[in-house]
Amino acid sequence: MAEQRRSGGDGPGAPEHFLVVFPGYHRSWAAWIAYCLERQGHRTTLQRWDPPREASLEDSLGDLLLSSGRILLVLNDWFFELGPRPAGEWNDVLRGFVAAHAERFAAVNLTNRPLLPATAVLEPASLWGLSEEAAEERLLGRLALERRRVPKALPGRVRYPDNRCDIWGEVPRRNSRFTGRDDLLNDIHQRLADAEQGAAACTLLGMSGIGKTQLAAEYAHRFSTDYDLVWWVNSDDRNIQRDRLGELAVELGLPIGGEPGERIRAVRDALRRGEPYGNWLLVFDGWDDTEGVNALLPQGSGHVLVTSRNRAWSEHGEVVQVPTFLRSESTAYLMRRAPHITATEADEVATEFGDVPLPLVQAASWLGESGMDVPEYLRMVREGSLSTVDEPASGEDFPQSSLTSWSILLNRLRGAQPQAIDVLSLCTSFAPGRIPLGLIRAYPRAELPEELRWMATDLPAWTRALDTLVNYSVLTRETRGPVGAEMGPHQESVHMHRLVHDIVSKLTSEDSRTRHRRAVRTLLAEADPGNPADSRTWPRYAELLPHLEPSGALASNQPRVQELLLNCLRYCVRSGEYNSGLDLVRKIREAWSRFMDPLAQPVLDLTTQQSNMLRASGRFRDAYDLDHAALDKLRAAPQPNVLGELVTRSAMAASLRHLGRYREAYDLQREVLAGNERLLGQDEPPTLVARHNLGVGLRLLGRYAEAYELDLETLARRESVLRARHITTLNSGNAVTHGLRLLGRYRDALVRQEPVVRLHVQVLGPQHPQTLEARAQLAMCRRREGSLSQEVGPSMATLLEQLEQLHGREHYRTLAFLTNYGNFLREHGDLSQARDLIDEAEAGYRSLLGPAHPVATGMLSNTGLVMQAAGERAEAMAMFEAALAGLSATLGTEHPWVLGCALNAASARNFNGRIPDAVELSRETLRRAQRTLGPQHPLTLSCQVALAADLRAAREQEEAGKLEEDGLLGLTRTLGAQHPHTISARQRTRPYWDFEAYLG
């Protein structure tokens, strides 16, 4: 059946028609050959060749002669194995039927291995190892075709199959024994091609062992000429998946830092834009957990292929159910791998294993390697005693007979190659999937059991053992490192299918498992880079993380292993992998609670990391309760732990700030700072952190001048002790800018923040979480300083999109920027979108923090501003009054947030005809602002202008005129004559205050 029909136009010489006949395995070559011929003006039809074994070869070849023109066979040794058929049958047909029609047949040869002797009748032109130009020359020469001086222009150039696409990332080696599945592969290709741009994702769904990974790998190889970029992402473990996807940023040359989330966002943005590649393929292998899929799944003009067991993927694109082998595919595979068996015997083996690919592969490997007769093999499978083996833990419909076949294989290896059994058993102490076996040779000093020490010292034996397991299709080899780089044994990785892992685990003795797990967790501890704050070590931590639990590391009492666990948690905090980290914390705590004192230092460190992740996730109450319980235990302990109490109280202060209990947080933080200075000194990192956090507390209390002075001191100390490019020094620079802006020194803040952002980008990358915070600060500096809206608006929209990609829409940092962008849009006339954003942010904060939290209360003022701009004056006044009353009760009447709410409430009273009430509130607000912020602060001056407006409405013209004149002079002197606030005041536009949501 023809796959494709192509027609060409007139060309030099008489145009011909060619039927290009190829095995599906060589589709890329057939497509390139057709492209070459059509450029020369000829017509081609592509014909996939896989005639049923039951049909005679002469009949199948005779069917090809029904086509017009010549028949071009794309040959290699694979071509003659289809079916499979005995070599004698092929030789007879070539010598007879093909020789009789030699003028209709031609061939090209893609291999350097010998073909059948009778193939000589086809006079195949060898394209093996040639450059594209030489291969085209030889193809045309074999067909006696004249080459055009100027080949015909065709849309969509087809890449020469020997030229790998520009980026080819860790796609598994092509399986030279891949069998069948041609229709399924073509169906996948068609589904992806037909999908709407930006939504071309297809999921291969099926049980373990059904061949999803092999199918995806074959797709990548078979259709590689369609793509400029092919990238393989192992997705069994979320951390490895994110790390691997982020590595593509390096290959694309994107200017990013080391944080995985930042890299992923940069990659998704580049793929969405199609720059530098629009034709790309990403394969996510083993992606069963669909939580957070939208933050990883790329969009754009390329294609995504996923393998999974999870049916929830139907919500995210096309789903293809991968079936068992067709019986013809099962028998063909068995007969090729074990040539001594007959078709009837192959059919009997396929029936025994239910046509499931994985056990068939193992059976074919056994039969092919051992040469055993099928009746004897099936007798052993059916009569084998496996009373100690249960069904695989996966619980999938996997033939019981496969357990017996595995037992037979292991028994054979145990006698013939016991070192292979050692390697295989050791693999079961890692997690299934990618296993970094090279750790054994990278860390030979690790304490390996005596029977395993040969692995670190005897490289030939190590190589033989791995080769044996690969030959029996138990493991597949992989490498881990830069694309295209040569890997040594110490960097070697293997892949173990989860079902193989499950079965072999059940066939391994408990004693061996215990010893091997101890060895593996020792190796993992040796591989700990020891510095999770350094983003360059994060790929290693992502690689180690999946193997902690299978190796028994969670329950280890070895300090070195416990430190590895804590460092993995610190990596999760630094890299933003909060969900994975919290899940790991839960498991570690459960294990440690069985043998470790709750006040042991590792448990306290565990609590600190858990608290950090809870707060970063927005779970402030959970973090506070956790730290409070830890502090109670510390205080009740017979032996004091002063440093432990300080660390715990510092975490409690952070949680209290986020919970809106600002005075308690400040008092506690001040005690922490004093304790650190007394015990550690003024310039130790914990002391500097405590000083920085005290500045945060002062800002939340509205004590802006004090916070600014403290932040300046902290910045100077950090620059001296940690240097300017340290991540915490950069954070202090951001805090100083924030202080300047809150003090109303908008121009100074902008001038300072621009180099702060540049340094963040250089050190951390443009989309690191802290860089995004610095960029958000810069956006607010520009807005407050009065920059042009056409400059500020687009940058805020872009930044909001990036924050959403990083944190999600409901995270408190995203909500803060939703608020700021909504206020900007309201200010510049987009009232509809402003209302949507402010409503979303208000609801989000109310859900996250509760309605009584100061931030949730302050959001009412922003809602009131939208209502007032829409002409809903009564409703706006109700919002302003509610915000004023609520914040006054929680923060006191002198807090700047309260003063801003009072400014808005007085405005609403004026607009609603309550002039005396407006005058009274404006007068009191001005007095408090002068006392709290000083007479020249922009908010104070706005209060002065507002009072003047209220006095004019009350017909007290003389006082109003004097206040207005002084206020205008102050605004001109402070902000400049052309600042929007100054111009508005001059035009007698009522001043307002919008609330900036800030949690610290």
Side-chain angles (χ1 to χ4, degrees):
M1 180 178 178
E3 281 194 345
Q4 185 176 4
R5 185 81 183 185
R6 294 173 133 168
S7 60
D10 295 332
E16 295 189 46
H17 173 254
F18 293 92
L19 181 69
V20 182
V21 180
F22 64 98
Y25 192 81
H26 286 309
R27 172 198 174 274
S28 58
W29 277 100
W32 177 80
I33 288 168
Y35 175 79
C36 290
L37 293 175
E38 291 183 8
R39 289 175 71 226
Q40 300 301 321
H42 305 286
R43 294 185 301 112
T44 65
T45 301
L46 297 182
Q47 175 76 44
R48 193 177 75 242
W49 172 260
D50 191 11
R53 190 174 64 249
E54 296 75 21
S56 73
L57 268 178
E58 187 168 318
D59 288 345
S60 297
L61 290 168
D63 289 342
L64 298 179
L65 292 177
L66 297 175
S67 169
S68 63
R70 284 191 281 172
I71 298 143
L72 179 64
L73 304 180
V74 180
L75 302 182
N76 72 341
D77 44 348
W78 182 263
F79 191 95
F80 299 107
E81 290 185 5
L82 291 173
R85 299 171 185 274
E89 183 180 354
W90 263 110
N91 278 325
D92 290 344
V93 171
L94 289 168
R95 293 185 184 115
F97 182 83
V98 174
H101 300 88
E103 76 285 354
R104 294 287 307 279
F105 286 99
V108 293
N109 179 19
L110 304 180
T111 181
N112 65 343
R113 290 188 291 270
L115 299 179
L116 296 174
T119 311
V121 70
L122 294 167
E123 299 179 8
S126 176
L127 306 185
W128 169 261
L130 298 181
S131 67
E132 180 174 13
E133 184 178 355
E136 184 175 9
E137 187 74 32
R138 187 166 293 183
L139 169 69
L140 297 177
R142 170 62 185 87
L143 298 174
L145 298 176
E146 182 181 349
R147 176 189 283 273
R148 283 184 176 217
R149 289 185 178 178
V150 181
K152 185 178 180 181
L154 295 177
R157 174 173 176 77
V158 176
R159 182 185 294 105
Y160 184 55
D162 276 356
N163 293 341
R164 186 68 78 192
C165 57
D166 293 352
I167 293 180
W168 181 259
E170 283 196 28
V171 180
R173 296 174 186 174
R174 195 171 194 184
N175 181 2
S176 60
R177 298 186 176 104
F178 186 87
T179 294
R181 308 286 203 180
D182 285 341
D183 291 334
L184 189 56
L185 285 162
N186 289 330
D187 178 47
I188 296 166
H189 184 255
Q190 196 61 51
R191 286 173 185 249
L192 289 172
D194 292 344
E196 295 181 11
Q197 183 170 330
C202 182
T203 299
L204 307 183
L205 191 67
M207 70 175 189
S208 293
I210 204 67
K212 302 182 295 296
T213 297
Q214 286 293 325
L215 191 62
E218 176 60 23
Y219 179 92
H221 286 280
R222 186 170 296 195
F223 296 98
S224 62
T225 53
D226 291 2
Y227 303 103
D228 300 313
L229 179 161
V230 178
W231 197 254
W232 189 276
V233 181
N234 289 312
S235 302
D236 287 344
D237 179 85
R238 175 179 171 83
N239 292 287
I240 290 178
Q241 177 192 44
R242 288 172 57 82
D243 178 56
R244 177 66 188 144
L245 181 56
E247 287 177 6
L248 181 52
V250 179
E251 295 299 319
L252 291 172
L254 303 178
I256 43 77
E259 193 268 320
E262 175 192 345
R263 291 185 171 202
I264 289 168
R265 289 185 293 277
V267 166
R268 294 181 74 235
D269 184 58
L271 296 178
R272 178 182 56 79
R273 291 184 286 106
E275 297 175 1
Y277 301 109
N279 297 324
W280 47 263
L281 170 68
L282 261 64
V283 183
F284 293 89
D285 184 38
W287 196 351
D288 292 333
D289 182 4
T290 60
E291 182 181 355
V293 63
N294 292 327
L296 292 177
L297 200 64
Q299 303 287 317
S301 58
H303 296 162
V304 175
L305 196 58
V306 177
T307 73
S308 181
R309 297 176 298 173
N310 189 344
R311 295 186 178 277
W313 275 102
S314 59
E315 302 173 8
H316 302 284
E318 291 275 354
V319 170
V320 174
Q321 184 72 43
V322 179
T324 58
F325 270 157
L326 299 173
R327 179 54 53 87
S328 60
E329 293 173 335
S330 299
T331 56
Y333 182 83
L334 286 163
M335 292 171 69
R336 273 198 300 274
R337 192 77 191 270
H340 67 285
I341 71 175
T342 67
T344 301
E345 290 173 332
D347 188 80
E348 195 173 357
V349 174
T351 300
E352 185 69 30
F353 293 106
D355 293 299
V356 178
L358 183 62
L360 280 173
V361 168
Q362 194 275 320
S365 300
W366 169 267
L367 289 166
E369 292 287 335
S370 68
M372 181 179 286
D373 291 336
V374 168
E376 175 65 12
Y377 175 71
L378 290 178
R379 184 191 64 76
M380 292 174 62
V381 169
R382 291 165 182 165
E383 296 179 2
S385 175
L386 291 172
S387 59
T388 60
V389 180
D390 303 319
E391 287 294 329
S394 61
E396 298 182 270
D397 187 16
F398 196 72
Q400 176 68 27
S401 54
S402 69
L403 295 170
T404 307
S405 69
W406 279 103
S407 180
I408 294 169
L409 171 61
L410 295 184
N411 286 334
R412 176 183 174 87
L413 290 177
R414 196 169 281 115
Q417 177 61 281
Q419 290 173 323
I421 291 292
D422 288 343
V423 174
L424 189 58
S425 299
L426 189 69
C427 285
T428 63
S429 295
F430 290 89
R434 182 192 289 275
I435 297 174
L437 271 186
L439 294 180
I440 296 168
R441 301 199 61 81
Y443 300 101
R445 292 171 298 174
E447 296 179 9
L448 294 174
E450 185 175 353
E451 72 271 18
L452 298 184
R453 289 175 190 167
W454 65 268
M455 295 183 183
T457 59
D458 191 343
L459 180 57
W462 167 264
T463 304
R464 281 195 305 273
L466 283 183
D467 286 345
T468 298
L469 294 171
V470 170
N471 288 339
Y472 277 102
S473 301
V474 180
L475 302 176
T476 55
R477 270 197 175 93
E478 295 185 350
T479 54
R480 186 65 169 158
V483 176
E486 291 293 328
M487 298 290 106
H490 65 288
Q491 295 165 303
E492 190 164 28
S493 294
V494 296
H495 188 277
M496 191 178 199
H497 194 283
R498 62 167 61 87
L499 199 53
V500 176
H501 185 279
D502 192 12
I503 292 171
V504 175
S505 294
K506 293 181 179 298
L507 297 171
T508 303
S509 71
E510 183 61 35
D511 183 55
S512 293
R513 277 202 300 273
T514 299
R515 294 196 310 274
H516 293 172
R517 284 174 180 166
R518 186 182 305 117
V520 168
R521 56 181 176 263
T522 302
L523 286 166
L524 296 176
E526 287 288 335
D528 179 3
N531 187 10
D534 186 344
S535 61
R536 293 171 296 183
T537 67
W538 292 351
R540 170 62 88 182
Y541 282 112
E543 185 176 46
L544 300 179
L545 208 59
H547 306 292
L548 299 177
E549 188 173 6
S551 69
L554 306 191
S556 174
N557 58 10
Q558 296 178 356
R560 185 70 186 85
V561 177
Q562 292 169 1
E563 185 62 20
L564 164 67
L565 297 178
L566 292 169
N567 279 340
C568 285
L569 290 176
R570 294 176 183 117
Y571 149 74
C572 290
V573 172
R574 290 286 187 172
S575 64
E577 297 292 344
Y578 306 131
N579 290 334
S580 298
L582 288 171
D583 184 54
L584 181 58
V585 163
R586 178 183 58 79
K587 293 176 180 178
I588 295 173
R589 188 176 292 281
E590 181 179 340
W592 284 3
S593 66
R594 300 190 188 105
F595 65 89
M596 198 179 295
D597 190 309
L599 295 180
Q601 191 57 49
V603 178
L604 295 177
D605 291 342
L606 181 73
T607 299
T608 299
Q609 300 310 318
Q610 185 177 7
S611 175
N612 289 337
M613 285 185 276
L614 287 170
R615 271 193 306 280
S617 303
R619 295 169 57 182
F620 310 130
R621 171 56 64 180
D622 291 343
Y624 176 77
D625 291 343
L626 178 71
D627 293 319
H628 196 286
L631 185 61
D632 286 345
K633 291 177 183 176
L634 283 167
R635 286 173 171 168
Q639 296 294 327
N641 184 342
V642 180
L643 280 176
E645 287 193 34
L646 282 174
V647 171
T648 304
R649 292 164 72 199
S650 179
M652 285 180 62
S655 297
L656 286 170
R657 285 194 295 272
H658 287 92
L659 290 169
R661 294 159 62 177
Y662 302 143
R663 171 53 63 179
E664 290 178 72
Y666 171 75
D667 291 341
L668 187 55
Q669 189 66 57
R670 190 171 55 180
E671 293 173 9
V672 169
L673 175 58
N676 277 324
E677 287 179 335
R678 183 176 63 256
L679 291 174
L680 303 175
Q682 297 214 350
D683 291 334
E684 287 299 309
T687 308
L688 296 174
V689 169
R691 185 177 288 109
H692 173 88
N693 289 338
L694 190 64
V696 174
L698 286 167
R699 278 196 295 278
L700 288 167
L701 287 171
R703 294 160 61 175
Y704 298 152
E706 293 174 72
Y708 173 68
E709 294 299 327
L710 187 60
D711 287 332
L712 276 178
E713 179 189 350
T714 306
L715 175 61
R717 289 181 182 274
R718 280 179 163 169
E719 286 178 336
S720 174
V721 175
L722 303 173
R723 302 302 182 222
R725 298 170 69 87
H726 193 275
I727 187 171
T728 59
T729 307
L730 296 176
N731 201 29
S732 283
N734 204 44
V736 169
T737 298
H738 195 183
L740 284 169
R741 187 164 58 78
L742 293 176
L743 289 170
R745 296 167 57 180
Y746 302 143
R747 165 54 56 179
D748 292 343
L750 178 59
V751 169
R752 171 177 276 276
Q753 189 64 4
E754 286 174 337
V756 168
V757 168
R758 284 197 295 271
L759 201 53
H760 269 83
V761 171
Q762 291 171 13
V763 176
L764 303 176
Q767 296 186 48
H768 186 280
Q770 187 170 304
T771 304
L772 291 180
E773 285 299 297
R775 290 170 59 197
Q777 187 73 251
L778 179 61
M780 291 306 295
C781 288
R782 286 173 174 160
R783 181 185 169 214
R784 296 301 187 204
E785 191 271 338
S787 298
L788 296 175
S789 62
Q790 56 266 38
E791 296 175 358
V792 177
S795 67
M796 291 187 80
T798 299
L799 190 51
L800 175 57
E801 179 182 343
Q802 292 169 348
L803 282 164
E804 182 181 356
Q805 289 177 355
L806 173 64
H807 298 299
R809 193 82 173 182
E810 298 176 351
H811 191 273
Y812 66 95
R813 294 197 182 278
T814 310
L815 293 175
F817 204 76
L818 273 173
T819 302
N820 294 334
Y821 188 41
N823 284 331
F824 170 83
L825 291 173
R826 185 210 71 247
E827 195 174 54
H828 293 279
D830 193 343
L831 197 58
S832 175
Q833 188 180 358
R835 185 188 289 268
D836 290 342
L837 294 180
I838 295 299
D839 286 349
E840 180 183 354
E842 183 196 339
Y845 275 125
R846 193 165 56 247
S847 173
L848 179 67
L849 306 172
H853 192 285
V855 168
T857 305
M859 286 297 301
L860 299 176
S861 195
N862 290 328
T863 301
L865 289 173
V866 173
M867 291 177 169
Q868 188 163 272
E872 303 165 14
R873 292 186 169 181
E875 295 86 348
M877 185 169 69
M879 288 292 172
F880 292 143
E881 296 287 0
L884 176 60
L887 288 181
S888 296
T890 55
L891 302 179
T893 58
E894 305 281 319
H895 196 287
W897 291 359
V898 176
L899 300 176
C901 287
L903 175 68
N904 292 336
S907 169
R909 293 179 184 183
N910 186 317
F911 290 152
N912 283 276
R914 294 171 51 184
I915 305 302
D917 291 342
V919 171
E920 180 183 1
L921 181 56
S922 289
R923 197 182 295 280
E924 182 59 29
T925 302
L926 176 59
R927 280 198 297 269
R928 289 173 178 159
Q930 288 172 334
R931 194 163 53 241
T932 300
L933 299 171
Q936 297 303 307
H937 192 282
L939 179 55
T940 304
L941 295 169
S942 292
C943 291
Q944 188 169 332
V945 171
L947 176 58
D950 292 332
L951 288 170
R952 273 198 310 275
R955 304 188 185 282
E956 298 182 28
Q957 301 293 344
E958 183 177 351
E959 185 181 1
K962 180 68 170 62
L963 281 171
E964 183 178 53
E965 182 179 356
D966 289 347
L968 280 170
L969 284 173
L971 286 171
T972 302
R973 197 163 44 241
T974 303
L975 301 179
Q978 300 304 310
H979 192 280
H981 288 353
T982 308
I983 294 173
S984 294
R986 195 179 301 124
Q987 295 172 346
R988 291 187 172 175
T989 301
R990 181 86 189 202
Y992 60 85
W993 172 84
D994 54 52
F995 174 69
E996 279 187 48
Y998 176 59
L999 287 175

